[in-house]
Amino acid sequence: MEKRWTASWITDERFVDRPKLDLFHKEMEDGQTHSHEEALTNVHMLVRKSLQWDRAVEEAWLDITADDYYKLYINGQPVGQGPAQSSYDHYYYNRYNVAPYLKPGTNVIAVHLYYHGLVCRSYNSGDYRQGMIAELEIDGRLAAVTDETWLCRIAKEYGSGGIIGYNTQFLEAIDSRKKQADWREPEASLADWKPCRTLAGHDYTLITQPTPPLAVYPIRPQRVVRLSEGGLWIDFGHELTGQLQFQARGQAGDIVEIRCGEELLESGDGAEQDPRRVRFQMRCNCDYRELWTLSGAVDEPDFYDYKAFRYAEIIAPSSVVIDIDSIHAIARHYPLNEQASRFRSSNDLLNQIWSICGNGVQWGSQENYVDCPSREKGQYLGDNTIITHAHAYLSGDLRLFRKSLLDFRQYSLKVCEGFTAVAPGHHMQEIADFSLQWPMQLLQYYRQSGDADFLREMLPAAEGILRHFAQFEREDGLLERVTDKWNLVDWPVGMRDDYDFPLTQPIGEGCHLVVNAFYYGAWSVVLQMRNILDAKVQVQGDSQDRQKQEQRRESFRAQFYDPEHRLFVDAVGSSHHSLHANALSLLFGLADEGEEVQSIVRFISQKRLSCGVYMAYFVLQSLAKAGAYDLLYELIVSDDANSWSTMIKEGATTCFEAWSKEAKWNTSLCHPWASAPIPMLIEHIAGIQPAEPGWTEVNFRPRIPASLEELHLSFRTVAGPFVLEHGKEGTFLLTPDGVKIRSEQL
């Protein structure tokens, strides 16, 4: 049961009487015109409350949330930040144990609120919902609740340096001359502060956030170099997400230029000196260049929003002194126990591939999974098929996985029973291929967690997706002209292996394979989940659904299978055999056992990974389905242009959005949808999979190639840790107590 709040929602007075905007609509239909006052975008608001406490604090809890975002301080010390973005009618709040921050005497709660104001993927914003609510309980009684005794002021030092990405982020043109440096402290001057306004009746439904707040911590640079023109060049040694922080002193009005980037400029790009200069005009459509104006005292820029970067430059006039020892990054990501998974092998390339994939997932997991932590910062449903699978093994923590499933159910149903492609955020996007993967993610979560109650709760949403797509069925059960959503196939466009069907928006006439393969796969999963829950007798028309599924398979093969070549074609009337069409047909059991399967495996061995990194997950899974483990491993460690080794050669520390930097015009160099090797290596090479949901029993069928002389692997599950040791003395698996092993020795 959710708590009953005594506190009021407090807000900037400019938002009190603003009608709230409804920004939910079908992507291909017009929604409410987004007419938003520009002066009410990029709003930084400071809030504080002083309270007296006359004795030592034994226990204290603070419940807090804000729209769009908050950073919380008590007595000048950072406590936490959030919330995870969500819709107002299911809005998350955080709960903190704040006893360590409180003391007898005067205490100050200080909150830095941020309202973005644009329609984007990164924030649920642009609807004029702004402000916060909080309640502090000390030793069993309410000590403070948000009301009009809380004071506020606009943080005027934050100007706009422009918008980057897809309305993703405002660059922060900070003027420290306008900053009140002591605003978080008990002794702060409150001359220009005024009471907050309360909303007479807010429309939020407040829900405890089901995941912990972010891990936020400092990282020191690995290398700092003085630039001949003045200033510093900084390398943190690897890609990270967060803010650059340091102290500097100069004359009032001095301007310091701060540049961040994922990579360095190549030789010949105006970068003749060593070190090579930072590419701050990043290929992913983010221009990480900001100007900071000094006050004349010792200043810190105090950036609010986060970036994805490895390198930085601080360009300053000679009058400015930069404290080198103060330079650090304030890193942020979903909490990850670095001991939760370990991987080491005798193949150094394989070790590096694991590392960049693991790092990509770590830095791409924020309050939700993001497609990239730079250009969009959006949680994409199709990306999550891969990211959730990898994150489950890297972290041993299924809470973010579970929340992602809830995000899409809760959020999408405002728009379409067939689900949206992005959640949360107010950017409306719908991709058919992605919607049809949500049931697969739900089944994967059940395999990992064993939570049958959650599966039962979510099954109706999975069935609702199929109901939506059923309206586009032909008489033979195949989908044709799914016009309300994209038909993606793969991304970027050049990675579709010449897929022979015009993927217009909306889609035109004709029937093509990929969307039908995902549709068939989604139906297979839903029917399997009904069996798991023994719900088949409770679902009206289940037997007809199973008969219809058999008909779909027959129709699929009749329309797409080419018996002459023993391959599948891309579309009705096409003679082209793409990697995508054949891998998905193989994966979802649409190819008959025997020669058909072997023909597709031979085809994949010729095509290699002639697809994007997203589709590579499905290609590798299809090889596992066929038992082609040698080819699966070969493709993971291959030296082909389309391979993870290309990322390594190009200096990756996190996996890329595409196989190489130049493979896409706006490639992000941190994109966790490229993390397929992690689940592939665990489940299909090490051969460790749950035989029963929740890992109460485990299948152990190692297929470690002879070339891999050593392999040491550990990961955590809901049942406990698993450890694999492979070497000269054999292959051994250590399991948690009580876990039964079903093994098959090679």
Side-chain angles (χ1 to χ4, degrees):
M1 179 181 296
E2 291 300 325
K3 67 174 285 180
R4 299 184 66 176
W5 290 75
T6 302
S8 300
W9 188 275
I10 57 176
T11 187
D12 178 345
E13 62 184 1
R14 296 174 295 172
F15 289 87
V16 171
D17 297 321
R18 291 277 175 174
K20 310 312 177 191
L21 301 180
D22 179 7
L23 300 178
F24 294 96
H25 62 90
K26 296 279 292 176
E27 178 184 4
M28 297 186 190
E29 298 175 2
D30 291 335
Q32 179 174 341
T33 301
H34 187 243
S35 178
H36 194 288
E37 186 177 336
E38 185 176 355
L40 294 183
T41 62
N42 194 35
V43 176
H44 289 262
M45 176 177 168
L46 309 179
V47 175
R48 56 178 279 145
K49 172 68 175 178
S50 296
L51 66 148
Q52 297 292 322
W53 197 253
D54 58 5
R55 59 184 181 276
V57 175
E58 297 181 4
E59 185 177 25
W61 295 93
L62 180 69
D63 294 329
I64 183 172
T65 194
D67 200 340
D68 300 333
Y69 204 75
Y70 71 83
K71 292 186 179 181
L72 168 67
Y73 306 85
I74 295 181
N75 294 327
Q77 298 299 309
V79 177
Q81 59 189 65
Q85 290 296 295
S86 48
S87 177
Y88 68 93
D89 57 350
H90 188 93
Y91 206 78
Y92 293 132
Y93 70 88
N94 303 114
R95 184 171 176 82
Y96 297 98
N97 174 12
V98 296
Y101 301 93
L102 298 172
K103 61 185 181 180
T106 302
N107 292 270
V108 172
I109 303 170
V111 188
H112 185 162
L113 304 183
Y114 181 64
Y115 176 78
H116 184 66
L118 304 179
V119 172
C120 61
R121 301 161 177 85
S122 53
Y123 289 102
N124 270 72
S125 197
D127 57 359
Y128 289 122
R129 288 183 172 85
Q130 185 270 353
M132 64 167 284
I133 191 170
E135 291 186 350
L136 173 64
E137 182 182 280
I138 302 178
D139 296 339
R141 67 182 181 89
L142 280 178
V145 298
T146 45
D147 55 25
E148 293 192 356
T149 67
W150 291 54
L151 303 179
C152 66
R153 71 183 290 267
I154 298 301
K156 298 179 181 178
E157 66 268 27
Y158 290 93
S160 172
I163 300 168
I164 56 175
Y166 300 132
N167 281 344
T168 304
Q169 181 174 348
F170 285 89
L171 293 173
E172 297 170 26
I174 298 174
D175 187 341
S176 290
R177 295 172 299 181
K178 302 176 181 178
K179 178 180 179 180
Q180 182 174 345
D182 65 350
W183 73 275
R184 294 174 287 220
E185 305 299 332
E187 302 80 14
S189 170
L190 302 178
D192 61 345
W193 291 66
K194 57 186 177 181
C196 296
R197 293 287 302 277
T198 59
L199 293 182
H202 68 74
D203 58 359
Y204 292 91
T205 299
L206 300 173
I207 308 293
T208 306
Q209 186 171 307
T211 51
L214 296 180
V216 181
Y217 56 94
I219 293 180
R220 300 283 298 175
Q222 293 188 9
R223 188 180 176 205
V224 178
V225 178
R226 290 193 179 275
L227 296 171
S228 58
E229 66 190 66
L232 300 169
W233 178 97
I234 302 153
D235 179 10
F236 286 94
H238 58 80
E239 179 110 0
L240 58 84
T241 54
Q243 302 94 16
L244 183 68
Q245 196 75 6
F246 62 96
Q247 293 181 344
R249 182 165 190 164
Q251 299 176 13
D254 279 347
I255 295 177
V256 176
E257 181 178 334
I258 300 168
R259 304 170 177 176
C260 295
E262 295 179 300
E263 58 184 317
L264 302 176
L265 292 170
E266 297 295 335
S267 298
D269 288 339
E272 299 177 358
Q273 297 182 0
D274 186 39
R276 289 186 290 129
R277 304 301 293 273
V278 174
R279 181 173 177 164
F280 61 90
Q281 295 175 313
M282 291 160 51
R283 65 178 74 239
C284 69
N285 194 33
C286 291
D287 188 344
Y288 281 167
R289 174 182 178 271
E290 292 165 305
L291 300 179
W292 172 38
T293 304
L294 303 185
S295 72
V298 175
D299 293 320
E300 293 187 58
D302 200 15
F303 291 112
Y304 193 89
D305 212 340
Y306 74 95
K307 302 179 182 70
F309 66 100
R310 170 179 174 172
Y311 301 99
E313 289 178 357
I314 304 170
I315 312 299
S318 58
S319 57
V320 174
V321 177
I322 300 167
D323 182 355
I324 293 180
D325 291 337
S326 71
I327 298 172
H328 63 284
I330 303 174
R332 51 166 279 168
H333 56 76
Y334 183 81
L336 179 70
N337 181 347
E338 295 186 359
Q339 304 303 314
S341 67
R342 293 287 185 178
F343 184 92
R344 179 172 58 85
S345 78
S346 53
N347 184 323
D348 186 57
L349 173 60
L350 188 62
N351 297 339
Q352 293 180 73
I353 291 170
W354 179 282
S355 177
I356 65 169
C357 291
N359 290 342
V361 172
Q362 175 180 352
W363 298 109
S365 298
Q366 298 292 324
E367 281 104 351
N368 47 257
Y369 301 112
V370 296
D371 64 327
C372 64
S374 52
R375 182 183 64 236
E376 289 149 318
K377 300 181 179 179
Q379 181 170 242
Y380 270 82
L381 183 50
D383 298 45
N384 273 14
T385 299
I386 306 152
I387 304 170
T388 56
H389 202 174
H391 186 259
Y393 286 124
L394 288 167
S395 68
D397 179 355
L398 298 178
R399 289 174 293 180
L400 194 60
F401 191 165
R402 186 179 192 273
K403 174 182 165 294
S404 73
L405 294 165
L406 289 167
D407 283 344
F408 279 98
R409 185 195 66 160
Q410 175 69 27
Y411 199 84
S412 297
L413 294 183
K414 296 175 175 299
V415 177
C416 179
E417 189 176 39
F419 276 40
T420 59
V422 183
H426 281 145
H427 177 79
M428 298 292 104
Q429 200 164 13
E430 300 178 70
I431 300 175
D433 320 41
F434 286 8
S435 295
L436 292 166
Q437 292 173 43
W438 189 86
M440 303 172 197
Q441 295 171 22
L442 176 59
L443 182 59
Q444 179 64 242
Y445 177 80
Y446 173 68
R447 291 178 69 237
Q448 297 290 337
S449 69
D451 189 345
D453 290 339
F454 186 72
L455 183 67
R456 184 174 291 105
E457 179 188 352
M458 295 294 109
L459 179 59
E463 293 171 329
I465 293 171
L466 299 181
R467 277 195 304 273
H468 173 80
F469 281 91
Q471 68 183 298
F472 301 104
E473 278 191 7
R474 309 189 316 185
E475 287 187 5
D476 62 0
L478 296 182
L479 297 181
E480 187 169 25
R481 296 197 72 233
V482 179
T483 55
D484 74 325
K485 303 182 192 301
W486 294 19
N487 292 197
L488 184 75
V489 176
D490 204 352
W491 201 256
V493 172
M495 290 294 165
R496 289 173 174 161
D497 191 29
D498 297 323
Y499 189 73
D500 186 19
F501 191 81
L503 299 173
T504 57
Q505 296 182 41
I507 205 77
E509 298 290 338
C511 178
H512 71 103
L513 183 144
V514 164
V515 72
N516 276 287
F518 277 119
Y519 187 53
Y520 181 87
W523 262 112
S524 297
V525 166
V526 166
L527 294 172
Q528 183 180 348
M529 290 189 290
R530 288 179 184 173
N531 270 344
I532 290 168
L533 297 172
D534 196 24
K536 57 186 177 182
V537 296
Q538 303 172 27
V539 178
Q540 185 176 6
D542 184 75
S543 61
Q544 291 92 331
D545 287 341
R546 294 177 188 278
Q547 291 172 8
K548 190 67 176 286
Q549 182 73 338
E550 293 176 6
Q551 179 191 354
R552 285 189 196 94
R553 189 177 190 277
E554 293 174 3
S555 301
F556 187 99
R557 291 180 54 77
Q559 296 296 324
F560 299 121
Y561 184 61
D562 175 1
E564 179 183 353
H565 296 90
R566 293 177 178 170
L567 295 170
F568 289 82
V569 296
D570 299 345
V572 174
S574 172
S575 60
H576 183 259
H577 314 102
S578 67
L579 173 66
H580 303 67
N582 284 276
L584 292 176
S585 298
L586 176 56
L587 175 61
F588 295 125
L590 290 156
D592 285 344
E593 294 292 334
E595 181 54 34
E596 284 187 22
V597 168
Q598 294 310 310
S599 175
I600 294 175
V601 170
R602 289 193 295 270
F603 180 75
I604 295 174
S605 71
Q606 297 166 3
K607 283 283 187 177
R608 316 291 283 177
L609 294 177
S610 53
C611 60
V613 295
Y614 151 73
M615 185 54 61
Y617 173 88
F618 300 98
V619 174
L620 297 177
Q621 288 283 43
S622 74
L623 292 175
K625 172 94 171 183
Y629 301 106
D630 289 345
L631 180 56
L632 186 158
Y633 179 76
E634 177 188 332
L635 291 178
I636 289 176
V637 297
S638 81
D639 196 37
D640 299 344
N642 287 8
S643 69
W644 285 272
S645 69
T646 299
M647 301 182 199
I648 302 294
K649 292 172 187 174
E650 294 184 2
T653 59
T654 52
C655 50
F656 293 171
E657 181 181 9
W659 295 118
S660 73
K661 295 176 179 178
E662 300 296 337
K664 187 171 183 283
W665 75 272
N666 61 348
T667 304
S668 151
L669 303 189
C670 181
H671 227 85
W673 78 342
S675 59
I678 288 171
M680 300 301 141
L681 289 168
I682 290 175
E683 294 186 355
H684 304 310
I685 302 304
I688 310 168
Q689 297 188 42
E692 293 293 335
W695 294 89
T696 56
E697 294 187 22
V698 59
N699 283 324
F700 180 46
R701 300 184 176 96
R703 297 114 181 173
I704 301 170
S707 61
L708 202 59
E709 297 176 355
E710 291 187 29
L711 176 60
H712 308 276
L713 167 69
S714 66
F715 61 93
R716 293 182 184 176
T717 70
V718 294
F722 288 78
V723 179
L724 174 85
E725 296 289 344
H726 168 75
K728 294 179 180 178
E729 297 181 355
T731 305
F732 307 94
L733 179 65
L734 302 176
T735 67
D737 291 342
V739 173
K740 179 181 177 181
I741 299 178
R742 301 179 188 174
S743 65
E744 178 183 296
Q745 296 300 324
L746 298 183

